[in-house]
Amino acid sequence: IINGRPTQKGTTPWIAMLSHLNGQPFCGGSLLGSKWIVTAAHCLHEAPDSEGLSLHDLGLLSPSAFKIIMGKLRRTQSDENEQSLSVKQVFFHPLYNPNTYENDVALLELLRGPVLNDFVMPICLPQGPPEEGAMVIVSGWGKQFLQRFPETLMEIEIPIVDHHICREAYAPLKKKVTRDMICAGEKEGGRDACAGDSGGPMVTLDTQRGQWYLVGTVSWGVDCGKKDRYGVYSYIFHNKDWIRRVTGMSN
Amino acid sequence: HIVELNNMFGQIQSPGYPDAYPSDSEVTWNITVPEGFRIKLYFMHFNLESSYLCEYDYVKVETEDQVLATFCGRETTDTEQTPGQEVVLSPGSFMSITFRSDFSDEERFTGFDAHYVAVDVDECTEREDEELSCDHYCHNYIGGYYCSCRFGYILHTDNRTCRVECSDNLFTQRTGMITSPDFPSPYPKSSECLYTIELEEGFMISLQFEDIFDIEDHPEVSCPYDYIKIKAGPKVLGPFCGEKAPEPINTQSHSVQILFRSDNSGENRGWRLSYRATGNECPKLQPPVHGKIEPLQTTYSFKDQVLISCDTGYKVLKDNVEMDTFQMECLKDGTWSSKIPTCKIADCGAPAELENGVVTFSTRNNLTTYKSEIRYSCQRPYYKMLHNITGVYTCSAQGVWMNEVLGRSQPTCLPVCGIPKFSRNLLAR
């Protein structure tokens, strides 16, 4: 997270850390319901080394090759409330495209759900699209300015960006911003997610219900925090039906 | 001189016809036609010497046992009779015609020319003799007739009377009514009816004849025609007939056979009886606490059954087995098939654990019996109850924890989402 601030303990109890078995974190995620993690699909396979490859051509991360840690705050040191969980099964979005990051979303079914408490709690699914220009909070243990990893969970508070503006901003770079994506950040850059934050939550508060809900998951961007380089997130509301079907949850 | 004639028709003429007949002659023609026919005789010509009461010459027509006519002369006078246009009919299938002329004839008499023909006898319309007439329906045909019977009847081997098939009446109910066939219309003739009342050993059958009792009898001889007999075990009662019904009969047996026989004549209305089977009485029963006995009777006897059931919320407990109802039967030796069971209050048992929830008992010392209440709640604030129900479950009469919304389904604790205990100091301006 570029230009972020440390997250206060317990204010993001849905965030999940995807970590290699050697303890090396590599992505973020969010807890849904009692035993599901939503994250970015591109976290779960090796990076494509050429264009035009399909998911089946890529080495997928086996469910037993990584773990999920809930209740986490510090990046590498252990936390008193952390809970380490195994993954039972991985569900890629059927229309996920590893070359364009379309539908860059995956669901992880946990072998056993975490014990919910003040530091572990699921995020709600959206009931509708976020308001125009709503402020969202993006959290992660990814790189900061000067490429350093943080000690602890970081967060930024940024506005949602109009889809058309975002699409125009990336057009010169030949990057497609499709309907299943949502952008956030400032025009002049500054606060943004970055490598290592992928899959992590972009949330906002539903002031009527008094509940936070998941707007997007960190997906891609060009550089981090540069001017006119908005952060692009996988748009959860767009893929809610798929999420409901796979998890069997309504909300 | 006798002539035997067996044809169905024929001609008979006096000797020498059409010339004068000789004197002092006698010819007899015996005509026999098949059964079912009679003979019709008529004259085309008749001219005999007349005499007072035909004592000289005559033609006599007779059957085996009666003279049908005696003719003589040329025309009928008060002392002589000629056939004229009349025909003579024989009652049966035989007719004998005798022509006789005495020794002297003053004049030439040309005698007679007669013809006979067999004609069918319509037994159906002519039968007077009840002994021979059809019982129900008569069908005449040329040369004979046959009888048939109403629906439900069978023609007896005498081909005349109609009987019913009534030899396989089996009664197994504990009470019943038995009557002679077609009661109260006259019973069929030539019938041999057998009514069997067969009950389980332990029952005693008693019979009671009711209202009409009318079986053909005889003033002197005991029931020579029709009668009813009752066989109960080794005992045989009867035969009964006449118009006075027998007194009520307690057969002391669980198997009774009633034989009713009718001969081939008579029109009597028959009989009706009711029977009842009773067995040994069993002792009176007390319903269990919180229970009841159905049907509730002052006395119970063999084969009577009772159903024990319990009040709502209680189950019948018998040999440590719970059931909704329990049936007992009064046995033939006057004892009950079982002891009265007790009624045990329905117990729902310890309520199932609720994942991510807890159960609390709302009755003293955690009762789990009928009407006790428990409350499921979810581990707040992390879980909340789906369907937003009260979580209150009551132990039902069926021994199942029931909620007014979910029925017997357990509630579900869903994770509360998006409401962290710690809220950040929002920096948004």
Side-chain angles (χ1 to χ4, degrees):
Chain A
I1 297 285
I2 305 293
N3 273 327
R5 63 181 182 233
T7 299
Q8 295 158 44
K9 184 178 168 71
T11 58
T12 313
W14 40 79
I15 191 158
M17 177 187 276
L18 274 59
S19 167
H20 292 297
L21 298 184
N22 60 10
Q24 179 61 34
F26 60 90
C27 266
S30 307
L31 177 65
L32 290 178
S34 54
K35 60 171 190 169
W36 291 89
I37 301 293
V38 61
T39 183
H42 75 258
C43 290
L44 301 168
H45 61 75
E46 67 196 11
D49 47 16
S50 65
E51 291 288 315
L53 291 173
S54 85
L55 186 58
H56 305 291
D57 307 325
L58 301 167
L60 302 184
L61 202 54
S62 145
S64 55
F66 65 101
K67 61 184 176 181
I68 304 294
I69 309 175
M70 295 304 297
K72 206 65 190 119
L73 188 64
R74 290 184 294 191
R75 194 171 79 86
T76 51
Q77 285 162 297
S78 65
D79 293 286
E80 62 178 320
N81 302 94
E82 71 179 54
Q83 298 181 44
S84 191
L85 304 159
S86 303
V87 175
K88 177 179 176 185
Q89 197 170 350
V90 176
F91 295 84
F92 283 95
H93 189 287
L95 301 177
Y96 167 55
N97 179 334
N99 305 291
T100 64
Y101 292 104
E102 282 177 83
N103 300 295
D104 179 16
V105 62
L107 285 164
L108 309 174
E109 184 180 10
L110 301 173
L111 213 53
R112 194 176 43 76
V115 173
L116 303 187
N117 53 39
D118 292 347
F119 305 99
V120 177
M121 171 181 283
I123 184 66
C124 302
L125 283 171
Q127 298 295 318
E131 287 159 21
E132 191 67 39
M135 294 304 283
V136 290
I137 289 181
V138 178
S139 319
W141 288 279
K143 284 181 180 171
Q144 306 182 92
F145 196 57
L146 301 182
Q147 305 291 308
R148 274 185 305 109
F149 283 105
E151 281 303 308
T152 175
L153 180 61
M154 302 298 281
E155 65 182 28
I156 45 172
E157 192 172 354
I158 48 177
I160 297 270
V161 170
D162 173 75
H163 197 269
H164 174 68
I165 294 171
C166 185
R167 197 169 52 236
E168 292 306 306
Y170 273 107
L173 305 177
K174 301 279 180 291
K175 296 290 181 192
K176 235 173 43 166
V177 179
T178 50
R179 275 287 149 214
D180 62 288
M181 300 171 187
I182 187 166
C183 305
E186 274 105 6
K187 180 173 173 42
E188 58 286 357
R191 281 177 291 203
D192 193 0
C194 199
D197 293 320
S198 290
M202 171 215 260
V203 301
T204 190
L205 178 62
D206 177 331
T207 48
Q208 271 152 24
R209 287 184 168 80
Q211 281 176 313
W212 292 84
Y213 67 87
L214 190 63
V215 177
T217 52
V218 177
S219 180
W220 62 278
V222 171
D223 302 332
C224 298
K226 288 279 184 349
K227 182 173 179 311
D228 282 336
R229 299 283 178 268
Y230 300 108
V232 185
Y233 300 77
S234 178
Y235 187 24
I236 291 298
F237 182 65
H238 182 83
N239 282 316
K240 192 171 68 163
D241 291 345
W242 172 70
I243 292 171
R244 288 185 175 193
R245 224 171 21 254
V246 172
T247 61
M249 278 187 326
S250 54
N251 196 357
Chain B
H1 178 55
I2 294 176
V3 178
E4 297 296 338
L5 296 172
N6 298 315
N7 298 334
M8 297 292 279
F9 60 88
Q11 188 172 13
I12 300 172
Q13 295 166 330
S14 53
Y17 182 86
D19 296 339
Y21 54 80
S23 60
D24 200 11
S25 70
E26 180 162 338
V27 183
T28 296
W29 294 268
N30 288 336
I31 303 172
T32 308
V33 294
E35 279 300 318
F37 288 91
R38 61 163 48 99
I39 299 154
K40 178 170 84 171
L41 177 72
Y42 55 93
F43 291 80
M44 304 312 286
H45 175 78
F46 194 84
N47 177 357
L48 261 65
E49 179 187 18
S50 63
S51 59
Y52 179 66
L53 299 182
C54 302
E55 60 181 325
Y56 300 149
D57 300 1
Y58 60 76
V59 170
K60 185 186 298 185
V61 184
E62 49 191 328
T63 62
E64 296 90 338
D65 49 5
Q66 60 172 324
V67 175
L68 300 177
T70 303
F71 299 123
C72 62
R74 279 200 186 93
E75 62 258 344
T76 299
T77 66
D78 51 354
T79 58
E80 293 135 26
Q81 187 189 3
T82 61
Q85 296 309 309
E86 269 184 54
V87 299
V88 181
L89 276 174
S90 66
S93 58
F94 175 77
M95 179 187 272
S96 168
I97 296 132
T98 302
F99 164 75
R100 178 182 175 281
S101 67
D102 70 353
F103 58 89
S104 72
D105 285 321
E106 285 93 27
E107 291 176 35
R108 287 170 45 78
F109 298 97
T110 52
F112 65 88
D113 170 32
H115 298 260
Y116 74 90
V117 62
V119 293
D120 174 49
V121 171
D122 182 347
E123 291 84 355
C124 294
T125 52
E126 292 177 22
R127 249 328 161 234
E128 299 85 28
D129 176 349
E130 196 236 338
E131 290 293 319
L132 296 175
S133 60
C134 287
D135 199 0
H136 289 177
Y137 303 129
C138 178
H139 307 279
N140 183 54
Y141 62 83
I142 304 295
Y145 75 101
Y146 62 90
C147 301
S148 70
C149 298
R150 280 197 298 273
F151 174 74
Y153 284 76
I154 303 164
L155 191 62
H156 191 268
T157 48
D158 62 13
N159 288 325
R160 187 183 69 77
T161 53
C162 295
R163 65 186 185 79
V164 287
E165 187 43 74
C166 57
S167 57
D168 56 359
N169 302 286
L170 177 62
F171 294 82
T172 56
Q173 302 303 312
R174 290 172 55 177
T175 61
M177 188 72 74
I178 304 176
T179 68
S180 51
D182 286 359
F183 184 85
S185 303
Y187 49 78
K189 299 176 179 62
S190 313
S191 293
E192 198 90 22
C193 294
L194 179 63
Y195 308 87
T196 303
I197 307 171
E198 193 70 48
L199 286 154
E200 243 181 284
E201 197 179 340
F203 278 115
M204 259 73 91
I205 297 166
S206 51
L207 310 173
Q208 164 107 27
F209 282 90
E210 299 187 348
D211 45 53
I212 301 166
F213 185 86
D214 172 18
I215 299 181
E216 188 182 13
D217 66 350
H218 187 281
E220 284 87 38
V221 182
S222 166
C223 310
Y225 307 123
D226 306 343
Y227 59 77
I228 186 167
K229 272 184 187 170
I230 294 158
K231 187 172 178 301
K235 285 185 291 188
V236 176
L237 309 168
F240 302 108
C241 61
E243 294 183 358
K244 183 175 180 332
E247 293 304 316
I249 302 166
N250 186 340
T251 66
Q252 292 298 319
S253 169
H254 66 89
S255 168
V256 174
Q257 290 190 317
I258 299 165
L259 174 65
F260 174 60
R261 185 193 169 282
S262 67
D263 69 355
N264 62 1
S265 66
E267 291 286 316
N268 298 78
R269 284 181 300 171
W271 47 273
R272 169 160 68 181
L273 69 80
S274 62
Y275 76 85
R276 164 176 300 282
T278 53
N280 286 327
E281 279 198 19
C282 279
K284 201 164 166 39
L285 290 171
Q286 282 307 319
V289 176
H290 294 300
K292 66 181 177 219
I293 294 173
E294 285 171 316
L296 202 50
Q297 294 170 191
T298 48
T299 62
Y300 295 96
S301 60
F302 174 51
K303 265 310 183 200
D304 278 350
Q305 293 178 345
V306 291
L307 204 61
I308 312 293
S309 59
C310 297
D311 302 342
T312 305
Y314 290 80
K315 292 271 187 183
V316 174
L317 185 65
K318 181 73 187 150
D319 305 333
N320 281 329
V321 175
E322 282 190 19
M323 54 198 88
D324 290 334
T325 58
F326 182 74
Q327 186 162 297
M328 291 168 54
E329 183 171 304
C330 176
L331 304 177
K332 69 181 169 201
D333 61 359
T335 61
W336 286 102
S337 57
S338 158
K339 285 193 175 19
I340 281 270
T342 55
C343 284
K344 174 177 175 290
I345 190 166
D347 189 333
C348 293
E353 294 288 316
L354 176 63
E355 192 179 2
N356 303 316
V358 293
V359 61
T360 53
F361 290 83
S362 33
T363 41
R364 156 178 55 81
N365 49 48
N366 298 1
L367 277 181
T368 60
T369 52
Y370 177 54
K371 283 193 178 169
S372 302
E373 273 189 0
I374 56 167
R375 177 186 291 275
Y376 278 112
S377 49
C378 296
Q379 280 166 12
R380 300 192 72 84
Y382 313 119
Y383 291 88
K384 72 181 169 86
M385 206 162 269
L386 179 59
H387 303 313
N388 206 8
I389 58 162
T390 62
V392 172
Y393 283 70
T394 307
C395 179
S396 72
Q398 286 68 38
V400 175
W401 291 107
M402 294 295 276
N403 170 272
E404 73 253 3
V405 175
L406 298 178
R408 56 191 309 161
S409 309
Q410 259 211 325
T412 307
C413 290
L414 283 181
V416 169
C417 64
I419 309 178
K421 179 176 178 182
F422 308 95
S423 60
R424 52 173 58 77
N425 323 321
L426 270 179
L427 307 178
R429 299 179 188 91

Short mmCIF file of all heavy atoms in Angstrom, two decimals, chain B residues 67 74 93 110 172 206 258-259 272 277 401 410:
data_model
loop_
_atom_site.label_atom_id
_atom_site.label_comp_id
_atom_site.label_asym_id
_atom_site.label_seq_id
_atom_site.Cartn_x
_atom_site.Cartn_y
_atom_site.Cartn_z
N VAL B 67 -115.32 -92.52 -20.48
CA VAL B 67 -115.94 -92.45 -21.81
C VAL B 67 -116.11 -90.99 -22.13
O VAL B 67 -116.69 -90.23 -21.35
CB VAL B 67 -117.31 -93.15 -21.78
CG1 VAL B 67 -118.02 -92.98 -23.14
CG2 VAL B 67 -117.11 -94.64 -21.48
N ARG B 74 -128.48 -90.20 -36.86
CA ARG B 74 -128.06 -89.26 -37.92
C ARG B 74 -127.97 -87.86 -37.37
O ARG B 74 -127.17 -87.04 -37.76
CB ARG B 74 -129.09 -89.28 -39.05
CG ARG B 74 -128.94 -90.45 -40.04
CD ARG B 74 -129.65 -90.12 -41.36
NE ARG B 74 -129.62 -91.28 -42.21
CZ ARG B 74 -130.64 -92.18 -42.23
NH1 ARG B 74 -131.70 -92.04 -41.46
NH2 ARG B 74 -130.59 -93.25 -43.04
N SER B 93 -102.66 -88.57 -24.07
CA SER B 93 -102.09 -88.94 -25.38
C SER B 93 -102.67 -90.25 -25.90
O SER B 93 -102.18 -90.85 -26.84
CB SER B 93 -100.58 -89.08 -25.21
OG SER B 93 -100.34 -90.07 -24.21
N THR B 110 -124.61 -95.84 -43.63
CA THR B 110 -123.29 -95.76 -44.28
C THR B 110 -122.16 -95.58 -43.26
O THR B 110 -121.01 -95.42 -43.61
CB THR B 110 -123.28 -94.55 -45.23
OG1 THR B 110 -123.73 -93.43 -44.48
CG2 THR B 110 -124.20 -94.81 -46.42
N THR B 172 -69.46 -65.10 10.26
CA THR B 172 -68.33 -65.07 11.19
C THR B 172 -68.39 -63.84 12.11
O THR B 172 -67.52 -63.69 12.96
CB THR B 172 -67.02 -65.02 10.39
OG1 THR B 172 -67.09 -63.88 9.52
CG2 THR B 172 -66.83 -66.29 9.57
N SER B 206 -75.82 -67.47 20.87
CA SER B 206 -77.23 -67.64 21.26
C SER B 206 -78.10 -67.18 20.09
O SER B 206 -77.74 -66.25 19.36
CB SER B 206 -77.53 -66.81 22.51
OG SER B 206 -77.08 -65.48 22.29
N ILE B 258 -77.15 -74.39 10.96
CA ILE B 258 -78.62 -74.35 10.86
C ILE B 258 -78.98 -74.95 9.52
O ILE B 258 -78.53 -74.48 8.47
CB ILE B 258 -79.12 -72.89 10.94
CG1 ILE B 258 -78.72 -72.28 12.29
CG2 ILE B 258 -80.61 -72.82 10.73
CD1 ILE B 258 -78.85 -70.77 12.32
N LEU B 259 -79.75 -76.05 9.62
CA LEU B 259 -80.15 -76.72 8.37
C LEU B 259 -81.62 -76.42 8.14
O LEU B 259 -82.45 -76.65 9.01
CB LEU B 259 -79.94 -78.25 8.50
CG LEU B 259 -80.45 -79.09 7.31
CD1 LEU B 259 -79.66 -78.75 6.06
CD2 LEU B 259 -80.38 -80.57 7.62
N ARG B 272 -87.06 -65.96 10.56
CA ARG B 272 -85.90 -65.06 10.70
C ARG B 272 -85.37 -65.22 12.13
O ARG B 272 -86.14 -65.33 13.07
CB ARG B 272 -86.33 -63.61 10.48
CG ARG B 272 -85.21 -62.65 10.89
CD ARG B 272 -85.31 -61.30 10.32
NE ARG B 272 -86.44 -60.53 10.83
CZ ARG B 272 -86.68 -59.30 10.38
NH1 ARG B 272 -85.92 -58.77 9.43
NH2 ARG B 272 -87.69 -58.60 10.84
N ALA B 277 -72.98 -63.53 19.69
CA ALA B 277 -71.93 -64.37 20.29
C ALA B 277 -71.30 -63.59 21.44
O ALA B 277 -70.97 -62.42 21.29
CB ALA B 277 -70.87 -64.68 19.25
N TRP B 401 -38.40 -31.11 19.83
CA TRP B 401 -38.30 -29.66 20.10
C TRP B 401 -38.86 -28.92 18.88
O TRP B 401 -38.42 -29.17 17.75
CB TRP B 401 -36.84 -29.26 20.33
CG TRP B 401 -36.27 -29.80 21.62
CD1 TRP B 401 -35.37 -30.81 21.75
CD2 TRP B 401 -36.59 -29.38 22.96
NE1 TRP B 401 -35.09 -31.05 23.07
CE2 TRP B 401 -35.84 -30.18 23.84
CE3 TRP B 401 -37.45 -28.41 23.49
CZ2 TRP B 401 -35.90 -30.03 25.24
CZ3 TRP B 401 -37.50 -28.28 24.87
CH2 TRP B 401 -36.74 -29.09 25.74
N GLN B 410 -33.53 -26.95 13.21
CA GLN B 410 -32.71 -26.14 14.12
C GLN B 410 -32.49 -24.77 13.49
O GLN B 410 -32.54 -24.62 12.28
CB GLN B 410 -31.35 -26.83 14.25
CG GLN B 410 -31.18 -27.62 15.51
CD GLN B 410 -29.72 -27.62 15.94
OE1 GLN B 410 -28.84 -27.63 15.09
NE2 GLN B 410 -29.47 -27.60 17.22
#
